[in-house]
Every structure is written in C-alpha cells, then in structure tokens.
C-alpha cells in the first residue's frame, strides 16, 4: 500500500492535492501540535473537511501530546486508521480499544530511537505499527535505515502468527529507499516529498508501488 502524505502538498490547495493522488491506498495526514514535535500543521476541523472531500481511506498520524484525550475524535470523524505515538500515550491499551470502538483501525507509532521490544505485547491491541524512519516533525528528511530491524522483528511475528497487523513506514521513502523497506517486510509506505515533489504524483505512486511489489517478490521468492 502507498499512503501519500499531504504534509508536502500545498496547504492552500488541499482538495486538489487529494485529487492528484486518486490511485493511493490511504491518504496520510500528519497532525502536529508544536509540543510533541517542533512543528504545527492541522487538527480535527481540517481533517473533517478533508474527509468530506475524498473517498480515499484516511490515515491520521497524530504527533501530539495527550492523544488519550484527542485521538478518538479523529476516529469518530471517520478516519480509517488513527495512529498515536507510544511515547505520548498514557494508556495505550485503553486508547486502542477506544479507537476500535469508535470504528477506526488503531495505529501505534514509534520514533526512530524508541525500541520495539517493550511494546510487542501491546501490539496485540493494534491494527497498524507505524515505524518512523525520520525524527517526526518535518517532511523531506533522509531515511534512517537502522529502523528496519524493528520492521523485521514485527514482520517475523506477523508471519509466524503471533501478531496480526499492518507494518507501515514513514519518513524518507522514495525510489532509493522503498525497496529496502519492502525487503524488511513493510506493507504500507508513507511518502510525502517523493509524491508531491514529483511532476506527476499519480505516476510517482505507481512507481513506488511497482518497486515495492517487485522487491517483496524477490524477497519472498
Ligand atoms: C514526518 C511525517 C511524515 C512526512 C514524510 O514527521 O510524519 O509523514 O510527511 O515526509 P517525507 O516522505 O518527505 O519524508
Ligand atoms: Zn506521518
């Protein structure tokens, strides 16, 4: 799956940005509060408007403090997947259950420096693991390949039937990095600058998808 991040789109033309990625599997919306990360983007009112403007399933990545208080609103609004950061959540088990009860998939994100081992059991409550491959806050940063070990660890647990979730990666995904992520077992690729920085965003999505699919085939052959 390819999930273009509108963080790299023109914020004055978000409806056009959604039209430009009609072939995407998910649209990734980065919510930043200038506290959990040093950047400020958009919140629930804008997400509600975006939901009305597209049929693409929405993937809300909440880089905010106190997601226990705010995340469920995004699920109630109709987001397909709502991801919170493990570094910010106070009661991640309850939060996942609340998100699911509100009709969304529950996502858990980990920053590049956060180990996955302490949270393996917690992942049983979640539908998505979002592995950050840059420090959250800004688009256009370089891919941190070290985080792929975390994707491999969780992919093995999925393949052996111990977990059932989508492994998603976010940050620095482009034509040069998507294949190594696919080989590590990633299912869903967030791409901001690689899609919206391209002359033809729809073509960029197709290119990334084809690269990921062939890398995955090589890997599993
Ligand atoms: C960064 C955001 C990402 C960002 C990715 O904090 O979570 O979703 O948009 O942008 P690129 O693909 O340019 O690294
Ligand atoms: Zn993101």
């Amino acid at each position: 799956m390819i999930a273009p991040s509108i963080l790299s789109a023109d914020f004055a033309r978000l409806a056009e940005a959604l039209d430009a990625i009609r072939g995407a599997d998910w649209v990734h919306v980065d919510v930043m509060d200038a506290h959990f990360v040093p950047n400020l983007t958009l919140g629930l009112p804008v997400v509600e408007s975006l939901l009305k403007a597209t049929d693409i399933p929405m993937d809300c990545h909440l880089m905010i403090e106190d997601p226990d208080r705010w995340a469920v609103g995004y699920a109630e609004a109709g987001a397909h997947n709502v991801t919170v950061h493990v570094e910010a959540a106070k009661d991640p088990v309850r939060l996942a259950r609340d998100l699911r009860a509100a009709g969304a998939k529950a996502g858990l994100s980990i920053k590049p420096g956060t180990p996955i081992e302490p949270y393996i059991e917690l992942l049983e409550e979640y539908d998505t693991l979002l592995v950050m491959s840059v420090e959250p806050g800004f688009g256009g940063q370089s891919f941190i390949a070290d985080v792929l070990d975390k994707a491999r660890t969780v992919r093995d647990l999925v393949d052996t039937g111990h977990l059932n979730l989508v492994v998603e990666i976010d940050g620095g995904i482009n034509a040069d990095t998507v294949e190594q992520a696919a080989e590590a077992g990633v299912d869903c690729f967030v791409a901001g600058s690689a899609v919206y920085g391209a002359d033809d965003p729809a073509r960029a999505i197709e290119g990334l998808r084809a690269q990921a699919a062939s890398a995955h085939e090589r890997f599993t052959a």
Side-chain angles (χ1 to χ4, degrees), residues 3 24-29 51 54-60 78-81:
D25 299 280
W26 288 358
V27 55
H28 185 87
V29 177
L51 282 163
T54 185
D55 293 329
I56 304 171
M58 195 168 292
D59 178 30
C60 289
H80 177 73
N81 182 75

Side-chain angles (χ1 to χ4, degrees), residues 63-120:
M63 287 160 275
I64 61 173
E65 285 181 357
D66 206 3
D68 303 71
R69 179 170 174 194
W70 303 110
V72 172
Y74 293 82
E76 288 169 347
H80 177 73
N81 182 75
V82 179
T83 290
V84 298
H85 267 269
V86 73
E87 302 87 356
K90 294 183 190 79
D91 188 346
V93 170
R94 184 170 167 195
L95 191 41
R97 291 178 185 173
D98 288 350
L99 289 170
R100 284 173 163 180
K105 292 191 181 302
L108 192 70
S109 185
I110 49 170
K111 298 207 274 184
T114 304
I116 191 67
E117 286 75 14
Y119 306 112
I120 297 292

Side-chain angles (χ1 to χ4, degrees), residues 5 7 28-32 59-63 85 109 130 132 136 168 170-171 190:
S5 165
L7 184 62
H28 185 87
V29 177
D30 290 302
V31 175
M32 305 186 189
D59 178 30
C60 289
H61 177 193
L62 306 185
M63 287 160 275
H85 267 269
S109 185
L130 180 62
M132 289 303 301
E168 184 177 10
D170 184 8
V190 176

